[in-house]
Amino acid sequence: PLSPTAPPTGGAIVSSSSATARLEGMLLGGPAERAASLAPLAGSGAPRTAAHEAWAEAQLGQRTGQVAALHATVAELERGRDALLADVAELTQRTEQLEAEARCAAAVRAEHDALMARHAAALELIGEQEEEIDALRADIDDVKAEWRRQVEEWCPSSQQAAQYIQDVHHCLSLMA
């Protein structure tokens, strides 16, 4: 049985570094390079046997499979890397967007707090003004009542008093 890692017995034994160089030439080059890489085996003075050729073909097939597997692994890793780079770029952009929104939110929150303070002050001022208006209306009602009493007391005729009250009432409504 042939070993995939060692040349068959009875043939020329070549150092591992020169064998590696020949295998790289076989894997990386075209048919001319493959033939040139096998030339030391043929030109070593030992006859080239079918076992040597089978061993070389087995090594070539094994190395070709390993190279193809490594190329597939590299391609898969590159796709993974590209996907991760895309994810990092997307997450970086999203982070920058969220940081900008956070800065805006802080500014909006500060503006909201200022507006709420102004609103509370305005409500307090309106409440005070409404209390003052209510007090003034009560005073006006008191003045009207006192005025009616005095008009009725000074004017003996009810028709005269009614006309005078109506005129004064009209003047007061224009002021209010």
Side-chain angles (χ1 to χ4, degrees):
L2 296 176
S3 168
T5 58
T9 57
I13 297 178
V14 183
S15 72
S16 66
S17 63
S18 63
T20 303
R22 278 195 313 276
L23 284 174
E24 287 176 353
M26 285 187 246
L27 294 174
L28 299 176
E33 285 89 6
R34 285 191 210 122
S37 66
L38 291 176
L41 289 176
S44 64
R48 198 163 147 194
T49 64
H52 276 95
E53 286 185 25
W55 175 80
E57 287 297 323
Q59 287 295 307
L60 178 61
Q62 181 182 6
R63 298 292 182 201
T64 303
Q66 288 175 348
V67 168
L70 289 173
H71 280 298
T73 302
V74 167
E76 182 180 334
L77 291 173
E78 286 177 346
R79 283 191 301 273
R81 181 198 63 202
D82 292 344
L84 289 174
L85 287 174
D87 288 347
V88 166
E90 181 182 332
L91 291 173
T92 300
Q93 181 182 8
R94 182 68 178 139
T95 300
E96 290 171 354
Q97 179 184 7
L98 290 174
E99 287 172 348
E101 288 176 6
R103 286 189 297 273
C104 287
V108 168
R109 188 174 296 122
E111 185 178 347
H112 174 264
D113 292 344
L115 288 173
M116 289 301 290
R118 286 180 60 196
H119 180 260
L123 286 177
E124 185 175 331
L125 181 62
I126 288 171
E128 290 172 0
Q129 288 177 349
E130 285 179 351
E131 288 176 3
E132 188 177 333
I133 288 171
D134 289 343
L136 290 173
R137 284 185 179 148
D139 289 347
I140 288 173
D141 289 342
D142 291 344
V143 168
K144 282 182 184 179
E146 180 63 26
W147 177 74
R148 281 188 187 125
R149 187 189 61 75
Q150 288 177 357
V151 167
E152 288 173 359
E153 184 179 303
W154 294 339
C155 297
S157 155
S158 63
Q159 186 177 12
Q160 261 184 330
Q163 181 61 40
Y164 184 72
I165 289 173
Q166 214 173 24
D167 291 343
V168 171
H169 183 60
H170 178 68
C171 289
L172 288 176
S173 66
L174 292 177
M175 288 196 289

